[in-house]
Amino acid sequence: MIKKILCVVVFATSINNYSQKKIDYSVASLPQTFIENADRVVVNRKENHQILSQTVIKQNFSEINFVKNEDGLSEVDRSIVYDKLSKVKNLEFKIYNAQGELVKTYKEKDFTDTSLADGFSILTDNRMKNLNLNYFNYPFFTKFDYETEEANTIALPSFIPLKSPEEKLLSASYQLHYPAGFTINKNETNLKEYNIAKTETANTISYEVSNVSAPEYEDLNIDYINVLPIVRFSNNTFALGNVKGVANNWNEFGVWYHENFLKGLNQLSEATVVKMKGLTKEAKTDIDKARIIFDYVQNNTRYISIQVGIGGWKPFPAKEVDRLGYGDCKALTNYTKSLLEAVGVTSYYTIIHASDKIVNIEEKNISLQGNHIILTVPTKEGNIFLECTSQKIPFGHLSTSTDNRKALAIKPDGAFFVNTNSNNENENVLEASFKVNLNNMQRVKTNVSFTNKGSFYNNIYYLNTNDKDEVAKYLKDFFTTLKNLSIVDYQAKNNKENYVFSEEIQLDSDFVGAKTGNDYLISVNPFFSIARVPQKYSNRKTGFTINRGKSYNITTEFTIPEGYTISFKPEIKKLDTKFGSYVVEMFQEGKNLKVNQKFVVKSGKYLKEDYNAYYQFLMDVSLNNSSKFIVSKTN
């Protein structure tokens, strides 16, 4: 089974059904040094995948786990996801005690079978069989077996022996059998580093590995997956359901995709075409036309997850979306594309992997990838990317789940790769101004101005500023250091054309510092932290990446009441490193105090040898951000 566009990642694997009363393992037989610091150990995993024909693949899966405690049990997979293209057989889960003796057997009837509809979908064909396990007599062994048969050979199962950080594996094997005449391409990574043995004969590829552990995941190592052993496969002769194809390169794949998933779905009624031409008749450029069409789609449709058609990949026809007023990412993107065609604007249906982590469409693996669809509009100034599923996201703006990554654009005669936009510290900017009135030390009035740009804009553009409860929750979640916070007034302006969100806020709260005798200690920034200090490592083993650099420009003015004076100010701090810079300046204007802070973190990839210096930089920023001045009574 494949990953479904839009929402659900589907993995289909399979098993052999064993009925033994005892397994060949016990706690005493396991290497004690291997299990002493582990919550769980994968004792044995066997995968056998057999492509029976162009349209069908059969898969058998069996895995034995040693489970030491509750944390280990939470890591043991007890579920399988399937759909209308796949059949699950011989599903079984067994528990063995510490001596390897059978304790309990769960059959398919013991598994719950539920829809994976997400609460707002009206159609979804994805389902999951899951076992709720109530057994806590640790330690014990588990054995999970199942078999699947799928009408899908376009996304072959990868060999991933280590699936999570610090996972320990005693042994694993993987076999892929395929018919004569098929071409299977392999993209192998880190096999030598893990002593993985490969055997390749006519129509069979096999891998075996033993006694390996996944490395620790280290903070900010976004390339962690690149240090794991992985083999990805692609098949030049494939099918999805009854839709067959042959593709030896991405252009051939693009033609196959367009012919089978998009062709003929762009038809619109004559009335709609006339309407779109009328809406855009005053537009001077294709970008102006695209903006008008995008606004129309946002105002006249809504997103609903629909995973039907060929394996969940084929969108609803544009005419149906036009009639119904809703669709999923496939349908809404195809609809927007069709409306643009009606007014003479070229755009491309684009497959992307949406996630918080940056995941690219792999060029070396010619297959169905990704889990989401956006639209690419080419212009002389560069590509504009449209997220067609959101009624709030601005024209040409992408969230952090789809920015800064490689995607695949489909066209009638092929396909090509595009890189979505990425922002650095020059675009990701927060400008903040605080005016703090300390005339009443018990209840402090503060006027706040925020200008959010780039990634800061992305964090707030969707806020419903007309909903007082939503605004109050957002502000109280942001200003966590302010006690008994009251929002006196909130005004906001969303500049969707330039991606700038401006806020004017009036706050009332308890004192913003701490009282000691007749002295009041106040942080230079008592409102929020500007630096997230990463985890410290005594022996960092990997490099690190700052994906989205940021800049903070903060001005804070403190009004000092009569009868008080500033008795202490911290020294001015300046930090200048390869990772960024920080400066705080303090000016006394009469009795009042003005604090200027500038903090920049630069985007970039850095070596493991740089990590301690980066850690210290952010630690110093954090400490300086909370450094305190003292206000004292004068009598």
Side-chain angles (χ1 to χ4, degrees):
M1 197 150 35
I2 56 171
K3 286 186 273 185
K4 291 305 191 62
I5 280 290
L6 231 212
C7 313
V8 178
V9 178
V10 176
F11 293 98
T13 51
S14 352
I15 65 159
N16 287 323
N17 184 21
Y18 296 101
S19 59
Q20 66 262 37
K21 298 293 183 181
K22 185 174 174 59
I23 53 175
D24 295 330
Y25 304 98
S26 66
V27 173
S29 71
L30 300 179
Q32 296 307 298
T33 55
F34 205 68
I35 68 173
E36 61 184 1
N37 295 319
D39 298 318
R40 174 190 69 121
V41 172
V42 181
V43 177
N44 183 268
R45 182 190 297 129
K46 294 180 180 179
E47 298 178 67
N48 188 298
H49 309 279
Q50 185 174 6
I51 302 175
L52 301 178
S53 66
Q54 184 173 357
T55 58
V56 178
I57 182 171
K58 180 180 179 181
Q59 307 173 69
N60 294 79
F61 179 87
S62 179
E63 182 177 273
I64 298 174
N65 280 275
F66 166 70
V67 181
K68 186 187 290 185
N69 51 40
E70 185 175 355
D71 289 338
L73 182 59
S74 68
E75 298 172 5
V76 175
D77 190 15
R78 307 186 296 276
S79 63
I80 179 170
V81 179
Y82 68 101
D83 67 2
K84 292 178 180 178
L85 295 181
S86 60
K87 297 177 182 179
V88 180
K89 303 176 183 179
N90 300 325
L91 180 61
E92 192 173 73
F93 192 94
K94 292 182 178 181
I95 296 176
Y96 297 83
N97 63 19
Q99 289 73 45
E101 299 165 339
L102 182 63
V103 175
K104 189 171 180 60
T105 299
Y106 296 91
K107 297 289 188 179
E108 185 168 350
K109 62 181 177 60
D110 300 310
F111 286 69
T112 59
D113 191 320
T114 57
S115 169
L116 289 181
D118 51 18
F120 56 87
S121 301
I122 58 170
L123 291 173
T124 177
D125 60 354
N126 288 1
R127 300 189 67 83
M128 180 174 68
K129 294 180 183 291
N130 181 66
L131 179 64
N132 296 315
L133 193 62
N134 294 309
Y135 186 83
F136 310 105
N137 190 14
Y138 303 105
F140 58 87
F141 293 87
T142 66
K143 190 169 185 291
F144 191 26
D145 298 288
Y146 56 83
E147 176 185 321
T148 63
E149 188 172 295
E150 300 179 40
N152 157 36
T153 57
I154 193 171
L156 301 180
S158 299
F159 174 47
I160 309 175
L162 296 170
K163 300 179 183 295
S164 60
E166 299 184 74
E167 182 176 73
K168 294 179 180 295
L169 173 69
L170 280 178
S171 66
S173 63
Y174 177 103
Q175 283 192 334
L176 176 64
H177 308 269
Y178 54 94
F182 280 48
T183 299
I184 304 296
N185 295 308
K186 307 179 297 297
N187 181 14
E188 299 173 334
T189 306
N190 299 319
L191 298 193
K192 291 183 179 180
E193 289 78 357
Y194 290 86
N195 295 316
I196 295 175
K198 179 176 75 171
T199 303
E200 193 163 0
T201 61
N203 309 121
T204 301
I205 306 170
S206 302
Y207 298 90
E208 290 187 354
V209 62
S210 60
N211 300 321
V212 293
S213 299
E216 174 188 10
Y217 170 79
E218 295 179 314
D219 204 2
L220 300 178
N221 180 14
I222 68 165
D223 296 322
Y224 176 79
I225 193 171
N226 294 334
V227 303
L228 296 177
I230 298 176
V231 183
R232 297 181 177 91
F233 303 92
S234 57
N235 180 14
N236 76 326
T237 305
F238 52 79
L240 183 60
N242 293 320
V243 180
K244 297 180 180 180
V246 176
N248 294 292
N249 54 57
W250 280 111
N251 275 331
E252 291 179 359
F253 177 90
V255 170
W256 172 81
Y257 192 102
H258 184 271
E259 285 292 312
N260 291 284
F261 297 101
L262 300 176
K263 187 176 181 179
L265 300 181
N266 60 341
Q267 300 300 311
L268 296 165
S269 68
E270 183 61 31
T272 297
V273 172
V274 170
K275 185 176 183 179
M276 294 305 107
K277 290 181 176 179
L279 287 174
T280 58
K281 64 181 179 181
E282 302 297 329
K284 296 180 180 180
T285 67
D286 282 355
I287 295 177
D288 292 338
K289 289 181 180 180
R291 190 184 299 276
I292 292 168
I293 294 298
F294 183 78
D295 287 343
Y296 175 84
V297 172
Q298 282 192 318
N299 293 327
N300 291 275
T301 64
R302 58 193 174 95
Y303 170 83
I304 292 179
S305 177
I306 304 171
Q307 296 181 30
V308 293
I310 305 172
W313 285 78
K314 191 170 185 176
F316 264 21
K319 189 176 289 187
E320 283 298 290
V321 177
D322 193 47
R323 180 179 67 86
L324 297 170
Y326 60 72
D328 63 2
C329 72
K330 305 183 297 295
L332 293 176
T333 301
N334 180 65
Y335 179 56
T336 307
K337 179 179 181 297
S338 303
L339 295 179
L340 289 172
E341 286 178 7
V343 296
V345 177
T346 299
S347 62
Y348 299 105
Y349 189 90
T350 303
I351 305 169
I352 197 166
H353 192 104
S355 68
D356 291 336
K357 295 181 179 180
I358 295 174
V359 179
N360 295 311
I361 301 297
E362 292 285 344
E363 287 193 54
K364 294 181 180 180
N365 187 20
I366 302 172
S367 64
L368 279 179
Q369 300 178 53
N371 62 355
H372 190 54
I373 301 294
I374 60 174
L375 196 62
T376 300
V377 182
T379 74
K380 293 180 181 179
E381 293 76 26
N383 291 324
I384 294 174
F385 300 101
L386 302 183
E387 172 56 74
C388 302
T389 61
S390 171
Q391 293 175 305
K392 294 184 177 181
I393 197 167
F395 174 84
H397 183 75
L398 293 180
S399 72
T400 52
S401 66
T402 51
D403 73 345
N404 196 22
R405 67 201 65 202
K406 186 177 293 184
L408 182 70
I410 303 296
K411 55 181 182 177
D413 59 348
F416 61 97
F417 285 93
V418 293
N419 292 307
T420 59
N421 305 329
S422 61
N423 292 332
N424 60 24
E425 61 275 9
N426 297 318
E427 292 86 27
N428 301 325
V429 178
L430 175 64
E431 297 174 356
S433 172
F434 297 90
K435 293 184 177 181
V436 187
N437 189 332
L438 297 175
N439 284 322
N440 181 351
M441 290 291 196
Q442 280 68 49
R443 291 295 293 177
V444 175
K445 297 183 183 300
T446 304
N447 290 339
V448 184
S449 295
F450 283 144
T451 302
N452 302 270
K453 302 176 183 178
S455 60
F456 293 101
Y457 177 85
N458 188 67
N459 293 336
I460 196 172
Y461 74 83
Y462 55 82
L463 181 69
N464 183 358
T465 56
N466 295 319
D467 187 328
K468 291 184 177 180
D469 291 336
E470 186 175 338
V471 170
K473 184 179 185 307
Y474 148 67
L475 291 174
K476 289 178 180 179
D477 288 343
F478 187 87
F479 293 111
T480 57
T481 60
L482 299 183
K483 307 302 180 184
N484 295 317
L485 177 64
S486 175
I487 293 91
V488 179
D489 188 45
Y490 180 85
Q491 302 293 326
K493 181 180 179 181
N494 186 359
N495 183 340
K496 291 187 174 183
E497 188 164 340
N498 296 311
Y499 313 138
V500 177
F501 195 99
S502 303
E503 301 170 88
E504 298 290 335
I505 313 163
Q506 294 181 26
L507 303 176
D508 188 274
S509 67
D510 288 352
F511 178 58
V512 294
K515 186 175 184 298
T516 304
N518 290 326
D519 296 332
Y520 294 85
L521 282 68
I522 304 172
S523 297
V524 296
N525 180 356
F527 300 103
F528 62 96
S529 173
I530 59 175
R532 184 190 78 83
V533 179
Q535 186 174 340
K536 188 174 184 179
Y537 298 93
S538 58
N539 182 25
R540 178 81 183 195
K541 297 181 178 64
T542 59
F544 62 100
T545 302
I546 303 170
N547 268 329
R548 301 175 182 90
K550 294 181 180 181
S551 296
Y552 295 81
N553 298 317
I554 304 170
T555 300
T556 308
E557 298 181 28
F558 295 92
T559 300
I560 309 302
E562 292 295 328
Y564 292 84
T565 187
I566 298 171
S567 59
F568 172 79
K569 292 185 295 181
E571 63 178 289
I572 294 174
K573 301 288 185 181
K574 290 186 178 180
L575 302 171
D576 192 5
T577 74
K578 66 194 300 182
F579 320 107
S581 59
Y582 174 83
V583 61
V584 55
E585 299 176 321
M586 305 183 74
F587 306 95
Q588 195 161 349
E589 300 175 345
K591 290 175 61 64
N592 298 333
L593 184 68
K594 185 175 182 179
V595 180
N596 290 336
Q597 289 178 283
K598 292 186 177 180
F599 173 45
V600 178
V601 179
K602 297 179 180 179
S603 300
K605 287 183 175 290
Y606 300 93
L607 301 174
K608 64 180 181 180
E609 290 80 9
D610 295 324
Y611 187 82
N612 285 341
Y614 177 68
Y615 171 87
Q616 192 59 52
F617 169 57
L618 292 187
M619 179 62 76
D620 290 342
V621 171
S622 181
L623 291 173
N624 288 321
N625 188 61
S626 58
S627 61
K628 295 174 175 56
F629 64 92
I630 299 176
V631 177
S632 303
K633 283 189 176 182
T634 56
N635 49 32

